[in-house]
Each structure stands twice: as C-alpha cells, then as structure tokens.
C-alpha cells in the first residue's frame, strides 16, 4: 500500500494535469507491450502496434527501450520528467537534460552492481551520442505506439477533467480526492491518500505540490515515482472501454476524427464526430479542443444534436457539459431499428513503484544499445 501524507498547506498545492503527459503514455504503453494486462481492452492495440513497429523496422529498438524501461518494480524516474508535461519534445528535452549524477544513480539501480552493459554505462555517463540515440528511439516509438491514438487519449483525458473540476468547486480538495475511488482512497480524517502498491511505502510531501496525472495506458493501479525526493506525481488509470480501438478505427472524417460511416451519411462527418467523442461527457471548450473546432462551431453542432434528441446539455459551474442521450447511444452503436424490408439486419450491437508484479532479474537486463 502506498500512503501519501498531506498537511493543510499541501492540500492547497494539489493540482491535476491539464492534458495527457506524452512521456507517461510512452512509458506505460511500453509496459503494456511487455505484459498481457487488460487483454480485452488492449490486445487489439498490441497487435496493431507490434505490426506497425515491425513495418517501421523498430523491433530491436523497442527491445532496447524495454531493457531500459522494464515492466518491473523499478524503472528510472528520469524517463518521466516533470509534473504533467503536455508536449513530447519538451518531455524528451528534459529526459536528455537529466544531470549526469542522477542518470548514473538511476541506471545503476536498474542494472545492479557489476551488471551494467557497455551501452548502459555510456548512457549513465551522459555520453551525448548515447543520449541522442535514446531521444531518437523515444520519438520513433511514440510515433507508432502513441501518436496514432492521440484523439482517443485526448478525449479520455478531456472527459476526466470536468468530473474533477466540479468536485473541487463543490467540496474543495477533499471532494476532488474523493472522486478517485476506487483507484485511490482518501482518508480525510487523517489527510492520507492511499493506493494499491507492491510494497508498503509512505510519502510526505513536505511542502511540495502533488500532481495527479490521468493516463490512458495506465491499468489496474496508480503509479508513482520511485525517488521520494522528487516533486511528486501520482498517475491514475483512465480505464478505456473494451472495443475502443475498433471504434477509433472506423472511417475517418474530414478532420481525421473517427466516425461511423452510416451515421456520417445521416448527420454529416463533423456531427458524427461530435457524437463519437461524446461517449464521455465534454464541455463545449473540451469538445472544440478534441475536434479542433472553434467554440462557436462546437456549440452550434451540439445545439443541433440536442434539438434532435441525440445530446443533452447541462450547466456545470461556468461550463456547459454535453453528453449523448440513450437515443444517441443507440444511433452510434447500431441498435436503432433498420428500415423495414430493405437490408440485412444490423449486426448485434519507486525504488518501490508500480503494482504487484515480478521484477525483471537484473542479470537478464543486458545487451542492446543502452
């Protein structure tokens, strides 16, 4: 069990990341390629990504990254810098700018005494060529395994924020932390946040902010940094639904968004895309951001769909939050009645971090570039 202790002042510094953190999504997706967790949700993604990595000639490169970032009880903190960085290049720049003493300490902890291969020694020493190869590998992996799914990741994170924001407006930090059940347990009587963890771990913030980061590729349990001396983050699962990849793989609209072909013919590509992303509630601002629409355009499309009974809109503090109705769900899921006598029926619709899992034996983590 992980226990994070707050003071009253610490609670005032609590923050929620403003968007997906590409470095956390990169690292956690790399872990999912090394395990079979959440098979129903992520196996289609695994098959698609492995095929894409093979076509791009990145199989060996990703094997090297997995040695540096194993699915184990420990992997280096320097790979996930910052508190909710939202730009990939910013995150990679921070990785490559890690001070050499920290690089040396974290890479050494990964491999163990006397077990570090030559490539890892170069990386731990801050060798510029080794760091440049690492940066290139991170970019190329991200382009295949994460970037093609950015719309789904962004929509999931955008849908998560209104829930947290409304709770914080209604009941402050206590209300915000209470929304993370069952992934996290907030005990307001003694100001302790608890999360499942492989070993007992106690953290005190000591005046530092804690950043809560939603992650699409985080599964089962929240994840924290290994080093208690760093500015702290707690990454929590967004838990996408089974079939998300099949929905995302539908025909693409004019802006590249996933839409249902039949629905697009009925209401137009953009409104079909609005219905698609409103599988989760979104504010007008979030709707515009996810689909790259002007606020006035997003509001107009939501209004038309609302008049058709496909969307309902409710004021939530300063924002208007839109969600699909049961009729909208039926339309998107193909459960509405087919026209009579026309076609076949529609088909049925830290040193201690991470969850309990076996550490990779240090003696097996060897070879490769790093």
């Amino acid at each position: 069990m992980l226990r994070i202790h707050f003071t009253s002042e610490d609670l005032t510094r609590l923050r929620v990341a403003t968007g997906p953190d590409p470095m956390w999504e990169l690292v956690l997706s790399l872990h999912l390629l090394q395990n079979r967790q959440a098979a129903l949700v992520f196996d289609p993604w695994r098959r698609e990504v492995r095929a894409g990595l093979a076509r791009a000639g990145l199989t060996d490169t990703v094997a090297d990254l997995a040695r540096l970032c194993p699915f184990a009880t420990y992997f280096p903190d320097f790979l996930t810098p910052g508190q909710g960085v939202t730009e990939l290049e910013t995150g990679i720049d921070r990785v490559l700018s890690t001070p050499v003493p920290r690089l040396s300490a974290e890479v050494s902890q990964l491999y163990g005494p006397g077990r570090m291969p030559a490539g890892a020694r170069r990386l731990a020493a801050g060798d510029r060529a080794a760091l440049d190869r690492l940066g290139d590998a991170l970019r190329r992996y991200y382009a295949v395994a994460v970037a093609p799914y950015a719309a789904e990741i962004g929509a999931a994170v955008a849908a998560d924020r209104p829930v947290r924001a409304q709770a914080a407006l209604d009941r402050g930090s206590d209300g915000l932390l209470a929304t993370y059940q069952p992934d996290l347990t907030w005990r307001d009587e003694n100001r302790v946040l608890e999360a499942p963890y492989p070993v007992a771990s106690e953290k005190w913030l000591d005046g530092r902010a804690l950043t809560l980061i939603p992650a699409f590729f985080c599964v089962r349990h929240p994840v924290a940094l290994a080093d208690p001396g760093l500015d702290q983050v707690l990454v929590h699962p967004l838990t996408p639904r089974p079939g998300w990849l099949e929905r995302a793989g539908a025909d693409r609209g004019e802006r590249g968004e996933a839409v249902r072909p039949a629905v697009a013919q009925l209401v137009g590509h953009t409104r079909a895309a609005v219905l698609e992303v409103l599988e989760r509630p979104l504010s007008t601002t979030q709707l515009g951001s996810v689909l790259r629409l002007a606020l006035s355009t997003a509001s107009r499309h939501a209004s038309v769909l609302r008049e058709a009974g496909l969307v309902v809109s409710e004021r939530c503090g300063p924002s208007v939050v839109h969600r699909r109705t049961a009729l909208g769900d039926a339309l998107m899921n193909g459960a509405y009645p087919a026209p009579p006598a026309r076609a076949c029926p529609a088909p049925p619709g830290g040193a201690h971090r991470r969850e309990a899992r076996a550490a990779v034996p240090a003696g097996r983590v060897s070879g490769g570039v790093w």
Side-chain angles (χ1 to χ4, degrees):
M1 181 70 70
L2 167 68
R3 292 164 53 89
I4 302 176
H5 299 263
F6 290 78
T7 64
S8 298
E9 291 76 16
D10 293 332
L11 287 172
T12 66
R13 299 183 181 94
L14 186 66
R15 63 181 295 267
V16 176
T18 58
D21 185 314
M23 298 309 299
W24 274 108
E25 298 294 355
L26 187 159
V27 162
L28 294 172
S29 69
L30 186 60
H31 285 173
L32 285 178
L33 290 179
Q34 299 174 59
N35 63 46
R36 288 296 311 279
Q37 290 183 343
L40 186 62
V41 175
F42 285 110
D43 268 1
W45 170 85
R46 288 182 176 99
R47 289 191 292 270
E48 190 168 289
V49 168
R50 285 176 179 140
L53 293 171
R55 286 194 302 270
L58 292 175
T59 302
D60 290 342
T61 297
V62 173
D64 287 338
L65 285 176
R67 294 185 185 100
L68 181 64
C69 185
F71 176 67
T73 53
Y74 174 79
F75 64 86
D77 286 327
F78 78 86
L79 293 170
T80 51
Q83 291 75 52
V85 172
T86 57
E87 298 294 333
L88 176 66
E89 284 304 318
T90 300
I92 291 178
D93 285 346
R94 293 189 182 185
V95 168
L96 303 186
S97 301
T98 305
V100 173
R102 180 177 168 189
L103 271 177
S104 178
E106 294 189 8
V107 176
S108 297
Q109 184 172 342
L110 174 66
Y111 286 96
R115 297 180 181 271
M116 194 184 303
R121 285 198 298 272
R122 289 192 293 270
L123 182 65
D127 177 79
R128 178 44 54 186
L131 286 168
D132 287 345
R133 286 196 297 273
L134 173 60
D136 182 63
L138 293 172
R139 291 184 187 93
R140 296 178 70 193
Y141 170 77
Y142 184 91
V144 175
V146 182
Y149 313 98
E152 290 71 42
I153 295 169
V157 173
D160 186 70
R161 284 183 63 80
V163 176
R164 315 305 179 188
Q166 188 60 49
L169 286 170
D170 290 345
R171 295 192 291 128
S173 54
D174 284 341
L176 169 63
L177 291 172
T179 65
Y180 289 95
Q181 294 271 20
D183 296 322
L184 308 174
T185 300
W186 171 240
R187 304 195 183 282
D188 56 358
E189 67 278 4
N190 53 4
R191 298 195 180 112
V192 173
L193 186 64
E194 296 180 347
Y197 228 54
V199 294
S201 179
E202 307 280 339
K203 293 181 183 287
W204 284 263
L205 295 174
D206 296 327
R208 295 166 299 172
L210 174 70
T211 302
L212 295 160
I213 302 177
F216 191 83
F217 292 111
C218 183
V219 300
R220 292 193 179 178
H221 303 306
V223 185
L225 295 171
D227 186 347
L230 297 173
D231 289 340
Q232 292 299 297
V233 303
L234 193 59
V235 181
H236 64 89
L238 283 173
T239 317
R241 297 181 185 179
W244 69 270
L245 185 59
E246 288 82 354
R247 293 190 293 274
D251 285 0
R252 299 275 167 177
E254 58 196 86
R255 299 176 183 274
E257 61 272 18
V259 299
R260 309 278 178 163
V263 177
Q265 292 176 23
L266 180 65
V267 301
H269 282 296
T270 302
R271 285 174 190 158
V274 170
L275 283 174
E276 181 75 27
V277 300
L278 287 181
E279 181 179 33
R280 294 169 177 260
L282 295 174
S283 70
T284 305
T285 300
Q286 292 163 341
L287 187 60
S289 177
V290 169
L291 296 180
R292 297 182 177 89
L293 300 172
L295 288 183
S296 59
T297 303
S299 179
R300 184 175 70 253
H301 286 308
S303 177
V304 171
L305 293 170
R306 182 170 62 250
E307 291 172 3
L310 302 173
V311 165
V312 63
S313 304
E314 299 171 346
R315 181 157 292 280
C316 186
S319 302
V320 175
V321 175
H322 312 283
R323 58 176 56 84
R324 281 198 325 228
T325 62
L327 180 60
D329 288 340
L331 180 63
M332 297 305 289
N333 294 329
Y336 50 94
R342 287 220 29 169
C344 296
H352 301 310
R353 27 156 140 203
R354 329 305 186 223
E355 68 232 42
R357 59 201 184 198
V360 174
R364 294 178 59 189
V365 184
S366 59
V369 179
W370 302 292

